[in-house]
Each structure stands twice: as C-alpha cells, then as structure tokens.
Amino acid sequence: MGRHEALNRAILDSALDCIITMDSRGIVQEFNPAAQRVFGYTREEAVGHELAELIIPEPLRARHRAGLARYLQTGEGPVLGKRIEIGALHKNGGEFLVELAITAFDLGDTKMFTAYLRDITARVRDERRRSAQYAVAALLAGSLTLSEAATKILETVAHSGEWAYAGIWVVEAQTDRLLYRGSWHEADAALERFSLSSHALELRPGEGMPGRVWSSAKPLWIHDITLEKSFPRANDASSAGLKGAFAFPLSCEGTVNGVVELFSHTFAEPDPDLLEMTDALGSQIGLFIQRRQIAKELQRQKERAEAANAAKDRFLATLSHELRTPLTPVLMWAGEVARTESIPFDLREGLEMVARNVQLEARLIDDLLDLTRITHGKLILDRELTDAHDLLAHAIEFVKPEIKAGDLELSLDLQAKDHRLNGDPARLQQVFWNVLRNARKFTAKGGSISVRSHNEKPGSIVFEIADTGAGIPPEHLESIFDAFSQLESRPEGLGLGLAISKAIVERHGGSVIARSEGLGTGATFTISLPLGL
C-alpha cells in the first residue's frame, strides 16, 4: 500500500460520517468503519457489490441507477454537491433516514463517486416528538370531549415513533374500572380484531398492562408482550404480529385518570427521550380528562356550554403564555451564535435548525394568542392609510422561498387601480401570508399559484388567490374557516390560519370566501376589502 493510499485509508477510518466510494458501475470500492456501524455490513461484505442492492430501499433503486446512467451520459447530476434527506436500508432489512451528499471525481480514466452519509434518525425522531407535543396541545385545546380528539391524538403519538397501534383507557370513577375509549392503528384486519378484544375489557387496578400502569402511576415497557403471563390479550396481540409495548399514565395532581398504550411490530427497548415526552403528554391529557370530567358534571346543570368554553379559553391562554415566555432568549441566543463564523459548520447548521423550529413554535403560539383575542373580542386593529398592493408584495416575498422550493409557478395580475385603504398593515399582511402559504402547502410540485386584484365596484378592492392544488369538497367550503378545522385532503397544520384571517378581514368590514369544484381541482380564496379612503 502506497503512502498516499495509506493516508486516504486513515482519513476514511477516522471519519465520523459514513463514507462510501463507488465506481461508475455503482460497485462499492470503499466502505469506512462509520458506514459499517450504521449499515451493518463489514467492509469485506460491501466492497465489490452494487451499492443499490446493499443500502438503497428497493423502491428507490431504479431511480438511483437511472440517475447514475444519466450522469455518465450527459454529465448532469441534480443531486451532486447537495445535501438531501433520503431513506436507507440496514443489513437487517430495517429502513431509516440519512442525510446524503455525493461528489464525483476522476481516477485516471475512471469516474468515481464518494457518498457522505449521516444517520439522522434521532434528529427526525426528536422533531417528530416535538411536533407531536404541540399538535396534541392544539387538539386538546380545540376539542370539547376526549372522544372527539382521541383518535387524532393517538395517531399523533403513534407517528412520533414506529408504533403500529395506540389505545386509550379512562378511569370510570363510579365502577373503579379502566374502560377502553378509543384506538388508532394501521390498516390491518388483525389489528382491528385486537382493538375489538380491547373494547370488550374492563380492567381492575393491577390487571393487564393498563391496570399495572394505573396502580403504579408509572410508565411500563414490555419487551415482548407475547411472553407476558399477565397480559389478557396476548393471543390477539400475537395474531396481529405485535411484540413490543409501552404504556404511560394520564395524570393530574397525582391522580391517574387514564392510560395510553402503544404497540409495535418490533421488540421494545427503553427510550429515555420517549419517557420525557410522554411525561409531558400524560400531564396534558390527564389535565384535559380531569377538566372534561368537571365539564361533564357541569353538563348536568344549565351552564355546561359556558363552562366548557371558558375552560378551553383558559387552557389556550395559559398554554400560550407558558410556551411563549422561554422562546425569546432561546431564539436570540441561537441566532446570535449561529452567525459566529468561528464555530464549526455543523454547529452553526444545528443552531440554525434550532432557530427555525423556535420561530415555528412562536408562530403557533402567536396564532393561539390571536385566537384567544378573537374569542374574547379583544383583537385590536392599528389602522392607517396603506397600500394593499405593497402589503401583498411583502407577503409574497416571505413565501417566495417556499414557492421556489416547491417548484411552483407564481403569476400576478394586479388590475386594481384603487388600492389604498384604511387598515392595519401588519394584520392585512398576515392575511395575505396565511392564504398564500396555505396555497403553497396544498399545491403539489409543478403546480401553480395565481394572484389577481381588481376593483369589483367603487369603494372596494378584491384579491383572488388561486391554486391548482388538492382542492376542497364543496360541503367543507365554510367549515375550513373554523378554528382547528382540518380535512382529510388537507391535513397539514393546526387549522388556525384561515380562522384568524377571516376574523381580521371581517374586522376590516370585508369578507373572505373559498371556492373549489372538489378534490383535485384546486381552490380560490377571494378577499374583499373596503377602501375606506
């Protein structure tokens, strides 16, 4: 081995990232120790074999081979020199996410490629769990009963990890039993049978996994439920292919009000980060259950509706305040340090990610605060003479990077000759931003968004923002403006933006409506505002 080759090998062996080198045929030439740890293959098992067959999931292999052939023929490689997130395959067949960067180089007359990969499973998992906490909080805030929110909450919690089934049990005080109140599971007949067997049970303290959690008030891991003697549903679980299980209590002020259970098709191992997340979720949902029980008592009196709405508003206000307070110093520190040139690139990148996520949380909290102000009639407008076209232009600048990233075509046709009005510039810009971002989110890659203005009649200006996206069923054209409203065809976000936008426009004396011919036909939002000169 020559000195240069030995130096290259030393660099490969000491690298923290997975480094894989392949030739123009896609055959692996080098496979460093980090790659061996992450993918499970030894260097001897990997070198000499096609990269696609080793670590690329089967649905992506054809695209990988086609891209390699295209580059060799034309020299065009869309992913070269870029960082992308993509699925990868472990030797044991498990799939996980990696961050990938590929560079090409010549070795004599041979074209070679080096792939730098980093396992981002933990990062993605943490982001999912963080999002799950915010989503559950919003679901609870927007629901009057647990049954109304249970399925969506369970789905959100299950998707924070690799869980195939989630169920919720609630303590029935009159009978001192745990009763099954809902489930979410993957589409599978065997899992449905498991759900039915759960519905038929009423558990005493200490009975089954939920009963044990109820008695101990502590989370419980079960590595393999099919081996548990005190698990009444073991046969049904085995038939459904379930193995690992985890359950955590729903508590408020030291009292367990219920239990959430999670099941997976793989064996369960203790996860400290999950324990931390479920501790917070257990308190949130436990508090919600207790409040709903109080509301249920109030239902028997004439003040049921007023008490329930007041509890929801207090929950929104308290949650928003408690979440908002620590954000500002975190955002300021992360942003300031991220701009420091002397720190490592990876650290700067991580801090920028922190700042982006904090900003997203701040946006969510601001929306919750706005919703609270609207509910209490305390939304204040700071009016001044302003140019509506300028406000629209500012909003477009904010969403342009997202539109560009989605490969969407944006067209403008601003025909309104009168476009100065008496309004709150920040709030009106918020309306345009919400509607434009909504159009971007629900328009697939390659689609288009058009923005048009005109003076429909003297003294008013009309904006039409149309997209070629997912569309809206006609029966839901009005309900999409309700707070926390979501459609199956438009499941992203928390359903606050349109509700807030409608309130702002109506406070200006205007109106906003949605039009769509149905799913897959796109949607048009029409905003009418009085000029008020």
Side-chain angles (χ1 to χ4, degrees), residues 464-483:
E464 293 180 350
I465 300 175
D467 63 67
T468 59
I472 307 168
E475 64 270 21
H476 293 302
L477 288 173
E478 293 185 6
S479 65
I480 61 170
F481 293 100
D482 295 337

Side-chain angles (χ1 to χ4, degrees), residues 147-158:
S147 58
E148 183 182 331
T151 300
K152 196 65 180 177
I153 288 173
L154 292 172
E155 181 181 6
T156 300
V157 175

Side-chain angles (χ1 to χ4, degrees), residues 187-372:
D188 183 276
L191 289 174
E192 180 62 28
R193 288 193 294 272
F194 180 72
S195 178
L196 292 174
S197 69
S198 301
H199 276 285
L201 295 176
E202 293 186 6
L203 301 177
R204 299 178 178 86
E207 186 178 5
M209 181 172 68
R212 292 163 63 185
V213 172
W214 180 17
S215 296
S216 67
K218 295 179 180 179
L220 176 64
W221 291 93
I222 297 181
H223 179 73
D224 186 353
I225 54 175
T226 62
L227 303 179
E228 284 287 310
K229 295 180 180 179
S230 60
F231 188 71
R233 298 165 287 165
N235 290 336
D236 292 312
S238 180
S239 298
L242 298 176
K243 293 183 175 65
F246 172 66
F248 62 93
L250 309 178
S251 306
C252 181
E253 298 178 352
T255 300
V256 176
N257 297 319
V259 175
V260 167
E261 58 181 7
L262 300 165
F263 298 89
S264 68
H265 292 302
T266 58
F267 298 114
E269 301 295 341
D271 182 341
D273 292 332
L274 179 61
L275 286 172
E276 184 176 343
M277 182 192 81
T278 54
D279 181 59
L281 290 181
S283 297
Q284 285 180 341
I285 303 172
L287 175 62
F288 179 84
I289 292 174
Q290 180 167 301
R291 289 186 173 184
R292 296 286 89 56
Q293 288 172 341
I294 295 172
K296 187 176 181 180
E297 290 299 319
L298 294 175
Q299 278 182 5
R300 297 169 186 173
Q301 305 175 27
K302 294 182 180 180
E303 300 173 32
R304 170 190 176 276
E306 292 81 358
N309 285 330
K312 182 181 73 173
D313 291 339
R314 287 196 302 272
F315 181 83
L316 269 174
T318 302
L319 177 66
S320 302
H321 175 75
E322 293 299 324
L323 288 176
R324 196 70 169 87
T325 301
L327 289 185
T328 301
V330 173
L331 184 59
M332 291 178 62
W333 177 83
E336 184 66 25
V337 178
R339 290 189 291 271
T340 304
E341 295 292 334
S342 60
I343 66 173
F345 174 79
D346 285 350
L347 181 56
R348 287 205 309 273
E349 191 177 54
L351 289 169
E352 288 170 356
M353 180 194 70
V354 169
R356 287 195 301 271
N357 280 279
V358 171
Q359 287 173 332
L360 287 174
E361 182 181 2
R363 178 73 264 170
L364 166 63
I365 295 169
D366 287 343
D367 284 349
L368 289 172
L369 288 170
D370 280 345
L371 189 64
T372 303

